[in-house]
Amino acid sequence: MHNVLVPFDGSPSAKRAIQYLVDSARSNPNLSVHVINVQTEPTFFGNYGSASMIEQFNAAALEHAGAINAEAVALLGAAKIRCQSHEVLGEVVTEVTQAAAKYGCDTVVMGTRGMSSLGNLVMGSVASRVVHGVPVPVLLVK
């Protein structure tokens, strides 16, 4: 585990994934982390949104993603772990899968909310969809 992708949404479980990497860095000084926050693009129905309005919504979403990622970057930086922040618009699993390939990540480390078996079966969780979507190992931190 040298080049890691961390999907980060600011949740307690995502923060535990960052803490796991901070703890792991003591025995892995060459660790490099890519922190990604994916924001869903706004959906407009009908002709109620102009191009400039859509651009403003997208820019605000990316700004919000950057603010969320800043917390993870600060924690990693305080531990002297090399990291890069990535903010994107799209569908979470698709963007995480593409980012893992784009940045040459050998592992994805992410939190999980511990959804019940029935809820996971019916709805599917982002974590389980990432496990099945990416071609590299996924470490889930509870």
Side-chain angles (χ1 to χ4, degrees):
M1 186 169 73
H2 296 291
N3 191 24
V4 176
L5 179 68
V6 180
F8 188 77
D9 63 3
S11 68
S13 61
K15 292 175 187 177
R16 286 191 295 274
I18 295 294
Q19 187 59 52
Y20 176 86
L21 290 172
V22 168
D23 296 341
S24 298
R26 295 181 187 120
S27 62
N28 186 1
N30 296 322
L31 184 63
S32 178
V33 178
H34 294 270
V35 179
I36 186 169
N37 180 279
V38 181
Q39 294 290 311
T40 305
E41 295 182 76
T43 303
F44 291 93
F45 298 97
N47 294 324
Y48 297 109
S50 67
S52 64
M53 180 187 285
I54 293 170
E55 285 178 22
Q56 288 175 334
F57 275 106
N58 288 344
L62 291 173
E63 184 178 327
H64 178 68
I68 292 169
N69 275 353
E71 183 178 4
V73 168
L75 293 168
L76 294 165
K80 300 191 181 351
I81 299 172
R82 288 175 297 165
C83 64
Q84 293 180 346
S85 177
H86 309 281
E87 297 80 29
V88 296
L89 297 172
E91 193 276 322
V92 176
V93 176
T94 301
E95 296 300 330
V96 167
T97 302
Q98 291 175 355
K102 180 178 181 179
Y103 303 120
C105 297
D106 56 31
T107 310
V108 174
V109 175
M110 64 186 296
T112 178
R113 292 197 174 107
M115 186 180 289
S116 71
S117 297
L118 178 61
N120 194 26
L121 178 66
V122 173
M123 295 171 37
S125 70
V126 171
S128 68
R129 290 176 33 225
V130 168
V131 166
H132 292 94
V134 297
V136 298
V138 178
L139 190 149
L140 299 176
V141 179
K142 277 186 122 179

